[in-house]
Amino acid sequence: GAVVSQHPSWVICKSGTSVKIECRSLDFQATTMFWYRQFPKQSLMLMATSNEGSKATYEQGVEKDKFLINHASLTLSTLTVTSAHPEDSSFYICSALYRSRDTYEQYFGPGTRLTVT
Amino acid sequence: AQSVTQLGSHVSVSEGALVLLRCNYSSSVPPYLFWYVQYPNQGLQLLLKYTTGATLVKGINGFEAEFKKSETSFHLTKPSAHMSDAAEYFCATSFGYKLSFGAGTTVTVRA
């Protein structure tokens, strides 16, 4: 199957700083990527849809100025958590949409654990 | 709007026993349905999916699921549990390219 990587796998930052998380599709091009957030023992919550060459589409209740998404190439999307606070601590997972003529599927990255102190 | 409900947040089975995870969907149109597995501190891996056609879907690692329109269900089964099946399992449905996940079911396997 297709491979999606995330970097870093975990990060600890101080309150008030910004953190950038990268999501890469390693063996296919993805015009669309997704960013999810997962709290402990909970399900995944879709934060935003990242579209190559255009603005991201954010889900209701997600602050676009706090969670900056850039999809500058067909294989890379980045999520920047700006002015992070302890309540932003979470597990962030990206996925890349693989599309062929007959089907499509989201391939997920391994996730990034963010801890804000 | 499409959504899924997973019945049972935690399932405990003995090694070798049947694994049954329940998922019901609500949708006004024929849904696409998925089962994913998540191991601790990892992303999600697709086990199987139903789009159209055959209602019994076979996936990886010996799992299968049956789409039952009359019951609006898409339950996941595995005849014989293995210790390596201990993980979190998510049922999901799609709307466009987006996925909507159920709350998840934690599976523990007893030796």
Side-chain angles (χ1 to χ4, degrees), chain B:
Chain B
Q2 282 97 317
S3 66
V4 291
T5 302
Q6 290 183 242
L7 303 176
S9 60
H10 185 233
V11 169
S12 179
V13 298
S14 297
E15 192 174 18
L18 172 72
V19 179
L20 170 61
L21 305 182
R22 301 178 187 274
C23 174
N24 288 90
Y25 69 90
S26 63
S27 174
S28 56
V29 298
Y32 284 11
L33 295 164
F34 308 79
W35 275 100
Y36 287 89
V37 62
Q38 183 182 33
Y39 297 100
N41 296 310
Q42 294 187 29
L44 274 66
Q45 181 181 17
L46 180 67
L47 285 174
L48 49 79
K49 64 181 177 182
Y50 169 79
T51 53
T52 58
T55 56
L56 182 62
V57 182
K58 294 186 182 299
I60 62 171
N61 302 340
F63 285 94
E64 63 181 37
E66 186 171 10
F67 172 70
K68 291 187 176 180
K69 186 176 179 181
S70 61
E71 299 177 6
T72 62
S73 69
F74 189 59
H75 300 333
L76 180 72
T77 60
K78 181 174 181 177
S80 177
H82 191 272
M83 297 299 289
S84 61
D85 295 325
E88 188 79 13
Y89 292 80
F90 293 98
C91 180
T93 187
S94 65
F95 46 108
Y97 292 128
K98 296 182 181 181
L99 290 171
S100 175
F101 291 90
T105 299
T106 303
V107 172
T108 57
V109 183
R110 306 185 302 272

Side-chain angles (χ1 to χ4, degrees), chain A residues 38 43 59 105-106 109 113, chain B residues 38 41 43 46 97-98 102:
Chain A
Q38 185 179 31
S43 187
E59 296 299 304
E105 184 174 331
Q106 286 189 35
R113 174 79 56 195
Chain B
Q38 183 182 33
N41 296 310
L46 180 67
Y97 292 128
K98 296 182 181 181

